[in-house]
Amino acid sequence: MLPIYAPFAPSRRRFLSKPISLRLRRLFSTQSSSIEYTLSHPIHMIWGANTGVGKTLVSAGLAVSHLSPLPPSSNTSTPVAAKFIYIKPVQTGFPSDSDSRFVYHKFSEIFLRRRPSITVLASNHVLTASIPAAQATLGGGVVEEIEEGGNLKSGLRALGWYEERKLQGEVGEVVAPASELICKTIYGWREGVSPHLAAEMEGAVVEDSVLLGMLKQSLGIGLEGGSQVGGVFSVIETAGGVASPGPSGSLQCDLYRPFRLPAILVGDGRLGGISSTISAYESLKLRGYDVVAVVFEDYGLVNEVPLASYLRNRVPVLVLPPIPQDKSDKLMEWFDEAQPLFNSLKEIMVSAFIERTKRLSNMPKKAQDIFWWPFTQHKLVPEEAVTVIDSRCGEHFAVHKALNHGFIMQQFDACASWWTQGPDQTLQIELARDMGYAAARFGHVMFPENVYEPALECAELLLGGVGKDYLFCEELTPLVLVSSISS
């Protein structure tokens, strides 16, 4: 979370009329039945090794990079309009601290300084806030709704608040369509503490399923009749560190796991930052996230060398220039110096997106050419009937559908196998952690004439449980032990 130091030019601030506000409330309070998002353009999640490591600066830099004038497309001489969508699902310390407002204002400052030959329609939206945050935003006038019995009906209010401005650059020879910057805060709490504490203190706890439903809706809003394919870029910025709690108390790395969006990890270049960055990276990988790049501020400690060595060059490590410590600095020169790095980061993200979508699209054909599925008449299986499974979370697969540029959606695993239907999302993470521990401790162990703790403990549990009495005999005990190894 970054303070806003510079005075800003006035922009249009509005509150939506009551009917629209109520409609927004109904739209965003509906629990999503499933997770779904488009693959028509890159969507990445910005994570931090800790709070205050510069996630919002990275988001703002990516916005500037993406909304810089794009070359004309192959079938037209007119430059392509671009759209950058920034989403902050959870914001504490609001409204005095607002990361979406920082991105909105900082982009506007940089634009007016550079004056590129484009027009950008910039906007910042706040959808929902706790009552104290809403009162601070509106300057009073927010009444608490009380149920029968004296209990508070809801600690949240749908604000429908936004500000907008039209940024006009130098007029070029070719009039290009206007690009867009859309910034959104989904939930805001007034106390500048961890989200689970702020939500509890202000009586405005949000369940994980509701937050994910609002995030799903927010990813879709702004794309209606949008820019040409390739002109849209979305980032979702988390709050605090990778394992910081969300509003319900769930760790954010678990909270957002159903989406499993590609991750950008903003590491820590300070003393101790190597350890915290590696810990954050491992927490994401343990949960099945794909980390596209690691980026952090240079503090002169050369943290990138051991980090690159640990990552074995599998993940690019980018180093931002040192951020000026003078709080009156508007960071204009810093963004100029860092722009080549943000351009490189954006290209890495786009390349990873293209590679992912290409791989998902090619999997059905490759599977038909290479796989042999049991109990299947292969010639009767059309390519479009092959289910491409991108991941699994709890009892749902995330499957790829090829319609309309492709999208990822949840699909219930209906195979009804006892050993696949048992683990929910929480147990899935525990299994991954325990399997990782066992693999790190033992690697591979040949069983005959050897004993090691997991096999012995498993055999004891089997013989003391389902195998008690009728399996406890000299002839069958070795079979039980072998079965425990294979399990």
Side-chain angles (χ1 to χ4, degrees):
M1 300 179 183
L2 297 168
I4 301 173
Y5 304 131
F8 301 107
S11 60
R12 298 171 63 190
R13 295 179 173 82
R14 295 182 179 178
F15 297 95
L16 299 179
S17 62
K18 186 175 181 180
I20 300 178
S21 178
L22 291 175
R23 189 164 67 245
L24 278 173
R25 184 181 303 180
R26 287 196 298 271
L27 174 65
F28 289 105
S29 62
T30 302
Q31 180 174 329
S32 175
S33 58
S34 65
I35 299 301
E36 181 179 315
Y37 62 91
T38 181
L39 291 177
S40 63
H41 68 279
I43 306 174
H44 290 78
M45 188 157 272
I46 310 294
W47 298 89
N50 205 338
T51 188
V53 292
K55 297 189 299 295
T56 312
L57 286 174
V58 171
S59 297
L62 287 170
V64 174
S65 177
H66 183 68
L67 294 176
S68 296
L70 296 175
S73 62
S74 58
N75 56 1
T76 177
S77 59
T78 303
V80 177
K83 181 179 293 187
F84 188 91
I85 301 174
Y86 169 89
I87 300 175
K88 183 77 174 183
V90 175
Q91 177 73 65
T92 60
F94 183 83
S96 60
D97 191 0
S98 171
D99 292 338
S100 68
R101 187 177 65 220
F102 178 91
V103 174
Y104 168 76
H105 281 301
K106 192 55 61 178
F107 174 86
S108 300
E109 283 187 332
I110 295 171
F111 183 96
L112 294 175
R113 181 173 183 265
R114 297 181 181 178
R115 289 284 182 180
S117 56
I118 59 171
T119 299
V120 176
L121 305 177
S123 61
N124 177 37
H125 309 245
V126 183
L127 304 182
T128 313
S130 67
I131 291 176
Q135 290 172 336
T137 303
L138 303 178
V142 178
V143 180
E144 297 183 350
E145 298 178 3
I146 306 298
E147 294 179 330
E148 274 187 59
N151 295 323
L152 185 64
K153 187 174 182 180
S154 173
L156 294 166
R157 289 292 179 270
L159 289 184
W161 183 93
Y162 72 98
E163 54 187 332
E164 62 180 5
R165 66 188 307 175
K166 182 177 181 180
L167 300 169
Q168 183 68 58
E170 298 292 338
V171 178
E173 296 181 1
V174 179
V175 179
S179 294
E180 291 183 74
L181 170 67
I182 302 173
C183 301
K184 305 177 190 177
T185 297
I186 298 180
Y187 285 105
W189 290 266
R190 187 170 186 181
E191 293 295 327
V193 295
S194 181
H196 73 293
L197 292 177
E200 185 68 28
M201 293 165 64
E202 298 174 33
V205 175
V206 178
E207 295 300 322
D208 294 351
S209 59
V210 176
L211 191 151
L212 293 178
M214 292 188 69
L215 178 56
K216 172 187 170 181
Q217 296 279 3
S218 295
L219 284 172
I221 292 178
L223 298 180
E224 303 87 351
S227 306
Q228 299 179 27
V229 176
V232 184
F233 200 97
S234 297
V235 298
I236 302 164
E237 183 181 318
T238 60
V242 164
S244 295
S248 72
S250 299
L251 304 186
Q252 288 181 79
C253 49
D254 295 330
L255 166 61
Y256 297 115
R257 174 56 181 79
F259 280 99
R260 206 189 76 86
L261 292 167
I264 300 300
L265 176 59
V266 182
D268 194 341
R270 296 169 292 192
L271 182 64
I274 297 171
S275 177
S276 62
T277 302
I278 291 175
S279 296
Y281 173 83
E282 292 292 345
S283 293
L284 291 172
K285 294 295 288 184
L286 178 69
R287 288 161 173 81
Y289 289 97
D290 296 325
V291 180
V292 174
V294 176
V295 57
F296 59 87
E297 178 193 352
D298 184 11
Y299 281 83
L301 300 178
V302 203
N303 283 5
E304 64 272 18
V305 174
L307 283 173
S309 175
Y310 174 78
L311 296 172
R312 300 180 184 177
N313 297 318
R314 291 171 295 191
V315 178
V317 178
L318 296 87
V319 183
L320 291 165
I323 298 173
Q325 298 302 305
D326 183 1
K327 292 190 176 183
S328 64
D329 194 310
K330 295 183 179 180
L331 303 180
M332 294 296 100
E333 290 78 12
W334 183 87
F335 274 102
D336 288 343
E337 183 181 356
Q339 200 57 55
L341 184 136
F342 287 128
N343 293 340
S344 297
L345 177 59
K346 181 205 162 188
E347 290 304 315
I348 291 170
M349 296 163 74
V350 171
S351 297
F353 165 74
I354 293 173
E355 177 61 29
R356 181 192 182 195
T357 53
K358 181 180 178 181
R359 187 171 61 252
L360 288 170
S361 298
N362 292 338
M363 283 174 68
K365 179 64 169 62
K366 289 186 175 181
Q368 286 186 318
D369 294 340
I370 297 173
F371 281 178
W372 177 84
W373 292 300
F375 316 113
T376 301
Q377 294 293 332
H378 289 69
K379 292 183 179 180
L380 301 180
V381 180
E383 183 177 321
E384 60 270 17
V386 178
T387 300
V388 178
I389 300 174
D390 180 65
S391 64
R392 181 193 181 99
C393 186
E395 295 186 343
H396 289 84
F397 292 125
V399 300
H400 172 253
K401 299 294 184 181
L403 301 174
N404 301 322
H405 306 296
F407 60 94
I408 297 292
M409 65 175 293
Q410 277 189 336
Q411 179 173 299
F412 181 71
D413 178 7
C415 69
S417 295
W418 64 268
W419 60 277
T420 61
Q421 294 303 109
D424 60 7
Q425 181 181 348
T426 301
L427 182 56
Q428 182 177 341
I429 298 302
E430 293 179 1
L431 285 172
R433 184 164 51 242
D434 290 343
M435 291 171 66
Y437 166 77
R441 179 179 174 186
F442 293 104
H444 175 65
V445 177
M446 295 297 290
F447 185 70
E449 300 181 20
N450 293 317
V451 61
Y452 64 113
E453 188 176 1
L456 182 59
E457 183 178 354
C458 184
E460 289 174 335
L461 288 172
L462 286 171
L463 292 174
V466 296
K468 189 175 182 180
D469 297 329
Y470 68 89
L471 277 184
F472 192 76
C473 64
E474 184 177 352
E475 290 79 10
L476 293 180
T477 299
L479 298 178
V480 175
L481 293 178
V482 171
S483 175
S484 72
I485 297 301
S486 64
S487 299

